[in-house]
Amino acid sequence: MKIVLAEKLTAHNDEIARSNRQHLDSAHVLALNFIGSPGTGKTSLLERTLHTRSPHQRMGVIEGDLFTARDAERIASHGIPVVQINTRGACHLDAAMVSRALSGIDLATVDLLLIENVGNLVCPAGCDLGEHVRVTVLSVTEGSDKPAKYPLVFCRSDAVVLTKLDLLDHTDFDLDAAVHDIHALNPDCEVFLTSARTGQGMERWSQWLSGLLR
Amino acid sequence: MHELRLIQRIMTIVADSADRQSIGHICRIHLVIGGLHPASPDALRFAFAAITPDTRFARAELEIDLRPVTVVCADCNAHSTEADAMFFCPHCQSSATRLLTGDELEISWYEADEEKCTPSLPGGTQ
């Protein structure tokens, strides 16, 4: 006897993600999912984003890491509500983890929720958390071939933030080639050239975030 | 990637469906994986073999249907099946291409047939 299922393996997660999105929508919160390799500068980008935000932007953060609360401690030092998720070995966040974390944040005090995924350019790409906007973070020290080598995450992003631009002259990163490949994979993707250390590009990035809230 | 978790998910989905149909043992599961999906067929088979003994899946075969990547060009409308076409259309060189298939991961169907799946025990014992 053959039983036809035609069921995506992500179907169960997608259902929880939809419920997360409805929950966020009803609280008028816009959520962003930040994906990138370990060490690409996701937490530094978030810290700089918190630092340069306009006073009327109320932000909250969910931090995803295998172990430790170090990132949450960095974010909390900015006086921002933050919840740390420890996945204890799991290589990406999923919608159920985010659903539990949402109960630890007073959404009435937040307009923009920044979710930092576990450092990984592969597995998080296939997992909807219930976010509204997906941002891939790529540093110039990782090499300009990464969009071509890891196409799925770039295909499924609304924006790509290139980080550590202050180090560009010390690397062989081909900026034109990287931006070309990102746009070839995803013509509608916004690309930001930033440095959390010098503040380069942060104004345009912050304006784009403000635009999402309008 | 996390193939063991994917296999656990597959077992849960099939077991839920089998319970609803009052089916005991499973003898075949048919998966579809797109050429761009990061799940490795070898790692999936390894994980399946590692965790299915002593379960209703113990004698089940995992069939994996690898689907090609297909890309369509927005300028000339040509369809291509090479991953490189995600960057340049091989017909008109345009970079305005879009992925149509290649990132799937789904269970198409499973088969439960006591007669078909029982006799394959080693040594002919049943």
Side-chain angles (χ1 to χ4, degrees):
Chain A
M1 179 164 61
K2 189 192 263 191
I3 293 100
V4 175
L5 289 175
E7 179 168 338
K8 285 167 72 179
L9 254 61
T10 53
H12 178 65
N13 179 79
D14 293 349
E15 204 173 299
I16 302 172
R18 267 194 298 278
S19 142
N20 286 349
R21 202 172 286 114
Q22 281 167 4
H23 183 44
L24 292 162
D25 285 344
S26 62
H28 305 290
V29 175
L30 188 96
L32 294 92
N33 177 6
F34 288 80
I35 298 174
S37 308
T40 200
K42 294 182 293 300
T43 314
S44 296
L45 173 67
L46 295 197
E47 286 189 286
R48 192 78 194 202
T49 304
L50 299 173
H51 185 69
T52 51
R53 77 188 189 280
S54 52
H56 64 271
Q57 278 182 352
R58 301 178 305 163
M59 294 188 180
V61 173
I62 294 176
E63 280 291 342
D65 278 298
L66 272 69
F67 302 106
T68 82
R70 291 186 188 191
D71 283 356
E73 286 160 10
R74 281 169 65 179
I75 298 297
S77 71
H78 297 263
I80 295 292
V82 56
V83 174
Q84 176 81 51
I85 299 172
N86 279 150
T87 61
R88 297 180 176 275
C91 51
H92 63 92
L93 294 181
D94 63 33
M97 295 176 194
V98 170
S99 168
R100 288 191 292 273
L102 285 177
S103 62
I105 291 184
D106 181 5
L107 293 179
T109 66
V110 172
D111 302 312
L112 212 55
L113 180 67
L114 314 178
I115 306 170
E116 181 181 338
N117 220 308
V118 176
N120 185 333
L121 211 48
V122 179
C123 303
C127 195
D128 186 5
L129 305 180
E131 76 271 19
H132 302 90
V133 176
R134 185 174 285 195
V135 180
T136 294
V137 185
L138 174 70
S139 64
V140 299
T141 51
E142 289 166 75
S144 38
D145 54 0
K146 293 304 168 288
K149 286 184 174 177
Y150 299 83
L152 273 189
V153 71
F154 292 92
C155 281
R156 293 173 176 176
S157 290
D158 301 292
V160 172
V161 179
L162 294 174
T163 58
K164 308 188 190 180
L165 261 286
D166 54 304
L167 297 178
L168 186 62
D169 291 343
H170 304 285
T171 70
D172 296 324
F173 193 90
D174 186 336
L175 196 55
D176 291 341
V179 173
H180 171 273
D181 283 353
I182 292 165
H183 279 142
L185 288 166
N186 185 348
D188 303 324
C189 187
E190 291 282 345
V191 178
F192 298 91
L193 311 183
T194 71
S195 162
R197 176 161 285 182
T198 66
Q200 176 188 343
M202 291 308 296
E203 199 173 322
R204 187 176 155 247
W205 162 245
S206 291
Q207 280 169 358
W208 186 74
L209 286 180
S210 300
L212 294 174
L213 283 173
R214 275 182 213 122
Chain B
M1 66 186 318
H2 43 271
E3 279 81 356
L4 188 60
R5 275 184 75 190
L6 294 176
I7 288 295
Q8 286 171 324
R9 187 74 220 137
I10 289 165
M11 289 168 71
T12 304
I13 292 170
V14 173
D16 285 352
S17 164
D19 286 347
R20 284 196 299 272
Q21 319 263 353
S22 302
I23 286 167
H25 287 275
I26 311 299
C27 69
R28 190 167 289 121
I29 298 176
H30 190 87
L31 282 188
V32 169
I33 305 183
L36 272 183
H37 196 285
S40 146
D42 283 347
L44 286 171
R45 287 191 193 97
F46 176 81
F48 190 73
I51 61 171
T52 50
D54 304 321
T55 70
R56 72 207 293 181
F57 298 90
R59 281 165 291 189
E61 187 189 337
L62 186 66
E63 282 184 0
I64 297 180
D65 178 8
L66 280 175
R67 288 283 162 83
V69 175
T70 54
V71 175
V72 65
C73 174
D75 288 333
C76 76
N77 211 27
H79 286 57
S80 316
T81 52
E82 303 114 59
D84 281 352
M86 291 170 70
F87 302 96
F88 285 110
C89 170
H91 301 280
C92 73
Q93 311 306 314
S94 162
S95 60
T97 57
R98 191 166 53 85
L99 188 67
L100 282 183
T101 66
D103 60 352
E104 316 73 354
L105 178 56
E106 65 174 46
I107 308 175
S108 312
W109 47 264
Y110 67 95
E111 211 166 53
D113 188 327
E114 299 287 339
E115 281 176 13
K116 272 188 193 164
C117 73
T118 355
S120 58
L121 281 178
T125 51
Q126 293 203 11

